[in-house]
Amino acid sequence: MSRAVRPRAARKSAEERAAEIRTGARDVALEGGLWAVTLRSVAARVGVTPALVAHYQPNMEVLVADTFTAVVAAEMAEVAGIVEPYTSPTDRLAALIHTLIETARDDVTTVWLDGWSLGRRSAPLATAVRAQMDAWQHLVLGIVDDGCSTGEFTASDPQTVAWHLLGMVDGLSAQGLVSYRDPAARGRLVTDALEHALGLPSGALTAPAGASATTGCSAARA
């Protein structure tokens, strides 16, 4: 019985092949989560042998950690670009909240959840997750600090407010993966809590014009 012959992979430079493998791993993660990033799945996505993937990425834990960072950092850059044009801290914070709670971001939420879960037994991934959480904290804290400086917000501990916001968004986004409660209701839980924490009137964090105008992180990063 004849055996199917795998087509020989096209010859590419080391830089091109490494970049191709990173892109393949990222695509696998966005479709199936970090759990799906294996030698075989990445090799199949790129169209090479698992041995070739192992040659360029000999440590799968590092590849998974790097993939997590690539996916999450891309989302943060996208969200920062959405938020930046708004002039007032209140509008920037409202745009950030309503962008993050979009259901179109479920692919990245899945990567975050897998990062927390798999990171329990992977030091490289745990380090990557903590670094990205710090980066998000820095982004949110910058908005809260600006609002306190201009007098739009009243908060005695902006660091805690930023952490509070990210904790709520993470938890409610995870609930959204199983369609728990209405997305609008989840959004109101966040805005109501933040309005209270920042001394804002009710409804101040309603989505500003133009917020949530993206079609989702996967499309934006493609």
Side-chain angles (χ1 to χ4, degrees):
M1 182 175 181
S2 62
R3 177 178 296 178
V5 178
R6 180 191 295 270
R8 183 181 295 274
R11 186 176 296 277
K12 297 183 179 181
S13 70
E15 293 77 12
E16 289 175 322
R17 186 65 75 189
E20 187 178 53
I21 289 170
R22 289 193 298 270
T23 299
R26 166 189 167 277
D27 292 345
V28 169
L30 285 169
E31 287 186 10
L34 289 180
W35 291 90
V37 180
T38 65
L39 277 177
R40 289 185 178 278
S41 66
V42 174
R45 177 57 60 98
V46 176
V48 298
T49 65
L52 188 60
V53 174
H55 173 74
Y56 284 97
Q57 295 287 349
N59 188 324
M60 282 303 296
E61 282 191 293
V62 172
L63 177 59
V64 170
D66 289 347
T67 300
F68 170 86
T69 297
V71 169
V72 172
E75 182 195 37
M76 190 174 74
E78 179 201 346
V79 172
I82 292 170
V83 168
E84 192 274 335
Y86 294 98
T87 56
S88 79
T90 299
D91 282 349
R92 290 205 302 276
L93 185 60
L96 182 139
I97 292 170
H98 291 280
T99 299
L100 287 180
I101 60 176
E102 289 178 343
T103 57
R105 296 179 182 277
D106 285 354
D107 51 0
V108 184
T109 298
T110 299
V111 169
W112 270 110
L113 289 176
D114 287 351
W116 289 317
S117 178
L118 293 171
R120 295 173 57 220
R121 293 179 174 83
S122 170
L125 181 55
T127 298
V129 171
R130 290 192 298 268
Q132 292 305 310
M133 291 176 73
D134 283 344
W136 273 104
Q137 173 82 3
H138 180 75
L139 174 64
V140 176
L141 180 59
I143 298 173
V144 176
D145 277 340
D146 285 349
C148 291
S149 297
T150 62
E152 290 184 40
F153 304 158
T154 57
S156 60
D157 189 351
Q159 284 269 6
T160 298
V161 171
W163 190 10
H164 185 185
L165 169 58
L166 292 173
M168 285 191 295
V169 168
D170 289 338
L172 292 170
S173 294
Q175 292 177 11
L177 291 179
V178 292
S179 302
Y180 184 70
R181 302 294 181 90
D182 176 68
R186 294 195 297 270
R188 285 194 299 274
L189 286 177
V190 178
T191 56
D192 288 353
L194 263 291
E195 286 164 358
H196 176 75
L198 297 173
L200 292 169
S202 178
L205 292 176
T206 299
S212 301
T214 60
T215 56
C217 289
S218 297
R221 287 191 300 268

